[in-house]
């Protein structure tokens, strides 16, 4: 008698079951991975990195290695604490948690000189702001790109007359080989310090015992060397690759501009059409990416100009004035005059409705919020005034300003010696192309009053914008601060001067800026962007641009930025007119025979709240507020090594983040590695043995009735 199918054949179903169980165990491990990571790491979510910027010749900023840089945390609260991280500490590399008041050039040079012991830097915000000032900018901003050079006004070139930004230490224009992050949230800073106190402080001066609290910083940059190098690499990638890897992008955005009287933007003005230009800048920066409050360096001036535009538009006879007025808000001026140089380039090449020869006068607002003894200084260019015609025009311009300010006792206009050069200003780019009569109004006669120029500390507090305690956000929005009143006075002087420069005579004394407009703008740009007034002036799809904090005024590479949009729509609502159009007609005014998109811009905005304060009343606003490209002509011309135009680019990156965790000693890490490797080898041996003996371990059960005779 023999058996059919007898023997010890392994069951394929059992093997499949084994593989399925193994897969389930692996999947469960992967699913638990995130949970394990959360138990090991504490992410720092409110941080701002230092990133890499490049121009025609240099790279500046910071970066980490491609896998991030890790170091033991050491808190430096005074200069003596640096000794530990520079020489004495036994567990390098270190990530230094530096108090904001110590973030100075001399401290950073010490850390930079010992980069082998420094893995990175985390900077906490100083509260209150450093009393002596802190400006990471250079002492001669935009040097080499203004009107003065070795061949024109050489006695003024490179700030030979005097340094405009005396407290500037140039730190933001240095290159660092390790990552530097700003800790923006005080609670997160306290968490890091507590971790340091719990784990990294030794007893009685001895070295601390493991585990130690460490920080890991990720900010690897893709671009290197210069704009010429990174743009060439990007250009080659774009030309020959289906999926190009771009390594840097030009800094760019849009200028905001409007006309007092509408003009046809599809053409250009006639040569005998005269225009008075009122200009200011929109942007600021700091050492850290997209942290640019710019209260004194930008916000106060463009808020003042917005209020002046509103006041002038209300004059009864603006439509009959013999000359027009153009309000311009330039972007990218911090980076070698990106916005103004582009507008001049477009004017010269017939790509802008207004031409250089149409400009009658140029009035620019510089820094205006920190006036001493009510004084507002009138800066002019001594070189262009060597031309007698320009000299007479400038004299008439200054006389008009003085006449306009005579009836505003809170503003005292002062002249300067004609031998003093212009401060860094957009007017310099226009003078570089053509001699025009121009003036820059500023709160300083010589060096800046602003001790925090291009700094994280150029905030609302720097220009004394404060509110009584206990008020609601809505009450703060409408509370008229002393700073708002002072800036409204400057706006009144500007509006009256522009009215007279445009040929107006009848209503100058009735023009007055509204302090309520100024205070709402200051609150929105410097305290809380997400407020009821800003919501009312924006399109519904732009509401996410408004955060619960202040807006930042860095030009960036994705445009338009939040600031640009808000300024455009604020200008439209302050100077435009609400018209009776439906949403569809407003978005496509060509449907309405009486409307002309070549003369006006149309915007469907959210509008104010209704009587019940539950829903908004949307409306169509018609204005002349428009955007014009603010991209350096160097990138239009592909002259990436240009010395005529700005060449600033921003490196791309993949991952920017920071986290803290505990690290073990090197010995324990080595032991853990060996044990883990041993377990791996053991598991491989066990798996091999099981697989080799599968025909014994997994036997197919005999089926009943399978016996044959």
């Amino acid at each position: 008698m023999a058996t059919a199918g007898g023997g010890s054949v392994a069951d394929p179903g059992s093997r499949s079951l084994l593989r399925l169980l193994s897969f389930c165990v692996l999947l469960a491990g992967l699913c638990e991975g995130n949970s394990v990571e959360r138990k090991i790491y504490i992410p720092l979510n409110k941080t701002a990195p230092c990133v890499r910027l490049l121009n025609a010749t240099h790279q500046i900023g910071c970066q980490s290695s491609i896998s991030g840089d890790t170091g033991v945390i050491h808190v430096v609260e005074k200069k003596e604490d640096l000794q530990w991280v520079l020489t004495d500490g036994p567990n390098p590399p270190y990530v230094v948690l530096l108090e904001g008041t110590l973030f100075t050039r001399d401290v950073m040079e010490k850390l930079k000189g010992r980069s082998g012991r420094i893995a990175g830097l985390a900077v906490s915000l100083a509260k209150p702001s450093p009393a002596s000032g802190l400006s990471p900018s250079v002492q001669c901003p935009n040097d080499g790109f203004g009107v003065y050079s070795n061949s024109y006004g050489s006695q003024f070139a490179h700030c030979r007359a005097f340094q405009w930004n005396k407290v500037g230490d140039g730190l933001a224009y240095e290159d660092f080989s390790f990552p530097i992050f700003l800790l923006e949230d005080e609670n997160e800073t306290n968490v890091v310090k507590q971790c340091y106190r719990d784990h990294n402080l030794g007893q009685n001066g001895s070295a601390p015992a493991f585990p130690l609290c460490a920080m890991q910083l990720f900010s690897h940059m893709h671009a290197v060397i210069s704009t010429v190098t990174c743009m060439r690499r990007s250009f080659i990638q774009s030309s020959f690759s289906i999926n190009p890897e771009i390594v840097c992008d030009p800094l760019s955005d849009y200028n905001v501009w409007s006309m007092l009287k509408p003009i046809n933007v599809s053409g250009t003005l006639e040569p005998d059409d005269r225009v008075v230009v009122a200009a200011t800048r929109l942007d600021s920066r700091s050492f850290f990416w997209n942290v640019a409050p710019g209260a004194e360096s930008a916000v106060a001036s463009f808020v003042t100009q917005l209020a002046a535009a509103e006041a002038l538009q209300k004059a009864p006879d603006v439509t009959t004035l013999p000359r027009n007025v153009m309000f311009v808000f330039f972007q990218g001026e911090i980076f070698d005059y990106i916005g103004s140089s582009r507008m001049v380039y477009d004017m010269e090449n017939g790509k802008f409705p207004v031409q250089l020869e149409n400009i009658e006068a140029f009035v620019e607002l510089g820094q205006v919020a920190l006036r001493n003894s009510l004084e507002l200084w009138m800066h002019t260019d001594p070189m262009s005034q060597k031309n007698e015609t320009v000299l007479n025009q400038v004299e008439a311009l200054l006389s008009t300003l003085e006449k306009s300010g005579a009836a505003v006792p809170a503003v005292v206009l002062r002249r300067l010696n004609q031998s003093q050069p212009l401060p860094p200003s957009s007017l310099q780019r226009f003078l570089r192309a053509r001699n025009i009569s121009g003036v820059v109004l500023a709160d300083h006669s010589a060096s800046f009053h602003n001790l925090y120029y291009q700094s994280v500390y150029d905030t609302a507090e720097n220009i004394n914008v404060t509110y009584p305690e206990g008020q609601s956000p809505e009450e703060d929005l409408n509370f008229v601060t002393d700073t708002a009143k002072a800036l409204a006075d400057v706006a009144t002087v500007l509006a009256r001067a522009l009215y007279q420069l445009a040929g107006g005579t009848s209503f100058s004394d009735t023009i007055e800026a509204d302090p309520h407009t100024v205070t709402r703008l200051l609150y929105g740009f410097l305290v809380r962007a997400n407020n009821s007034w800003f919501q009312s002036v924006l399109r519904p799809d732009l509401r996410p641009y408004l955060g619960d904090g202040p807006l930042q005024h860095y030009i960036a590479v994705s445009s338009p930025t939040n600031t640009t949009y808000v300024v455009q729509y604020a200008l439209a609502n302050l100077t435009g007119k609400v018209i009776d159009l439906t949403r569809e007609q407003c978005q496509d005014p060509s449907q309405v025979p009486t409307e002309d998109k070549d003369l006006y811009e149309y915007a469907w905005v959210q509008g104010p709240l209704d009587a019940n304060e539950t829903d908004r009343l949307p409306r169509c606003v018609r204005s002349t507020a428009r955007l014009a490209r603010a991209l350096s002509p160097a990138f239009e011309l592909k002259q990436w090594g240009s010395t005529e135009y700005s060449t600033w680019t921003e490196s791309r990156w993949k991952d920017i983040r920071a986290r803290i965790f505990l690290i073990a000693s090197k010995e324990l890490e080595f032991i853990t590695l060996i044990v883990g490797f041993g377990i791996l080898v053991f598991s491989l041996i066990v798996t091999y043995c099981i697989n080799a003996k599968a025909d014994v371990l997994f036997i197919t059960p005999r089926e009943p009735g399978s016996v044959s005779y």
Side-chain angles (χ1 to χ4, degrees), residues 63 220-224 233 245-247 651-654:
Q63 77 156 353
H220 182 67
M221 300 288 128
H222 294 172
V224 294
R233 290 177 178 175
E245 183 178 345
I246 307 301
V247 296
S651 174
R652 288 196 179 186
W653 58 81
K654 183 178 180 181

Side-chain angles (χ1 to χ4, degrees), residues 63-112:
Q63 77 156 353
S64 72
S65 62
I66 194 167
S67 57
D69 291 328
T70 303
V72 175
I73 296 171
H74 188 75
V75 176
V76 174
E77 296 178 331
K78 53 187 184 297
K79 288 187 178 181
E80 291 75 14
D81 297 335
L82 289 171
Q83 189 70 21
W84 183 266
V85 298
L86 296 177
T87 57
D88 297 348
N91 301 302
Y94 289 94
V95 170
V96 177
L97 176 52
L98 190 68
E99 289 295 313
T101 52
L102 296 177
F103 189 56
T104 58
R105 188 176 188 86
D106 61 329
V107 170
M108 292 303 297
E109 284 182 346
K110 292 178 181 178
L111 296 174
K112 190 176 182 180

Side-chain angles (χ1 to χ4, degrees), residues 535-584:
Q535 290 172 12
S536 69
V537 303
L538 287 181
R539 298 195 318 248
D541 61 302
L542 297 180
R543 185 171 178 174
Y545 281 58
L546 303 178
D548 290 333
L551 289 174
Q552 303 300 327
H553 311 296
Y554 174 65
I555 180 175
V557 296
S558 57
S559 54
T561 61
N562 301 13
T563 297
T564 301
Y565 267 134
V566 175
V567 169
Q568 180 194 9
Y569 283 92
L571 180 63
N573 280 265
L574 292 172
T575 61
K577 180 181 179 181
V578 177
I579 56 176
D580 187 20
L581 294 181
T582 65
R583 180 170 185 167
E584 291 72 23

Side-chain angles (χ1 to χ4, degrees), residues 143-144 146-158 160 432:
D143 185 23
V147 67
Y148 307 118
S149 66
N150 292 331
S151 59
Y152 182 85
S154 58
Q155 67 271 37
F156 307 126
H158 314 301
R160 290 192 178 108
R432 193 162 170 151

